[in-house]
Amino acid sequence: NRNTDPSTRSLLRSSSNGSTNSLSSLESTDSAGSLESGMMTIRSIRPKDDNLKAVLIEKQNDNMIQRVRNCVVEWYFAIRLHSPGFIPMVVGAMIMAWLEQWAWYDGIYYCVVTATTIGFGDLSPTQPHTKLFAIVFVPVCVAAMGYILGNFASFMVEQRREGYDKKLWSCDLKIEDIEALDT
């Protein structure tokens, strides 16, 4: 059962010399969307709905994969950027927790409270050897926290600047706008 599709009859086919010939009414399409004319078969160039959905899903997956890659790269560089600050803090916190026989999370808590100079006083070194360690550890910890906070502030300023630059370069400026800047 081959039906002649009116839209198929109106298709134009380019010949080798650049002229176009209208398809005759003798040409017909089958259910798969193929057009047959004598010995020549022309497939429909319009994708089926399933193919279109597959292409859209593939593009969504590619977009999601790219976003995940970007996130992983950002985290990788953030860890590399902040590791000179985090490493001494974490190592010092573990040493302090081991010397004072605290839980590891108490060591991290002590480190953060000390590094941010909050100093609640609920955890403090009690042993003579941990007090000596704290004399070295506290200034290093405060400096490391300053390094981390400084990098974070620089990152925020850079993000804001990039946003302003993107907004500026996306505007269509006219010569009148530029001349108005001089006044």
Side-chain angles (χ1 to χ4, degrees):
N1 273 341
R2 294 188 178 185
N3 300 330
T4 302
D5 185 12
S7 63
T8 304
R9 278 187 251 133
S10 64
L11 277 173
L12 296 176
R13 176 178 56 213
S14 295
S15 65
S16 60
N17 64 4
S19 65
T20 58
N21 298 324
S22 177
L23 298 176
S24 70
S25 62
L26 298 176
E27 299 165 332
S28 63
T29 59
D30 62 5
S31 62
S34 296
L35 175 70
E36 293 189 4
S37 171
M39 306 277 295
M40 180 190 297
T41 301
I42 302 172
R43 296 265 179 219
S44 172
I45 59 172
R46 187 176 67 175
K48 298 269 187 202
D49 288 339
D50 294 336
N51 292 342
L52 183 60
K53 288 177 188 174
V55 168
L56 291 175
I57 290 171
E58 184 177 328
K59 286 186 181 194
Q60 271 183 329
N61 289 343
D62 289 346
N63 190 18
M64 186 171 61
I65 290 169
Q66 187 63 35
R67 287 189 304 204
V68 169
R69 276 189 197 138
N70 290 343
C71 185
V72 167
V73 168
E74 286 178 17
W75 274 101
Y76 172 75
F77 284 117
I79 289 170
R80 283 193 56 200
L81 179 69
H82 297 304
S83 64
F86 280 122
I87 290 173
M89 289 176 57
V90 171
V91 170
M94 294 299 117
I95 292 171
M96 185 64 81
W98 178 68
L99 291 174
E100 282 290 324
Q101 298 176 350
W102 293 335
W104 64 270
Y105 51 85
D106 285 335
I108 297 290
Y109 169 77
Y110 172 78
C111 176
V112 170
V113 169
T114 303
T116 56
T117 66
I118 295 173
F120 289 127
D122 53 345
L123 289 178
S124 60
T126 57
Q127 314 264 339
H129 55 278
T130 55
K131 289 180 182 179
L132 287 174
F133 178 73
I135 290 172
V136 175
F137 171 65
V138 170
V140 169
C141 193
V142 170
M145 183 60 79
Y147 175 81
I148 292 169
L149 292 176
N151 283 338
F152 181 73
S154 295
F155 173 76
M156 296 302 288
V157 168
E158 182 67 21
Q159 290 296 315
R160 182 175 284 177
R161 187 191 61 77
E162 286 177 6
Y164 287 148
D165 285 350
K166 187 182 282 185
K167 186 177 178 182
L168 175 67
W169 290 111
S170 68
C171 295
D172 292 330
L173 291 177
K174 299 177 187 139
I175 193 69
E176 295 85 20
D177 298 330
I178 296 172
E179 289 173 351
L181 294 173
D182 288 336
T183 58

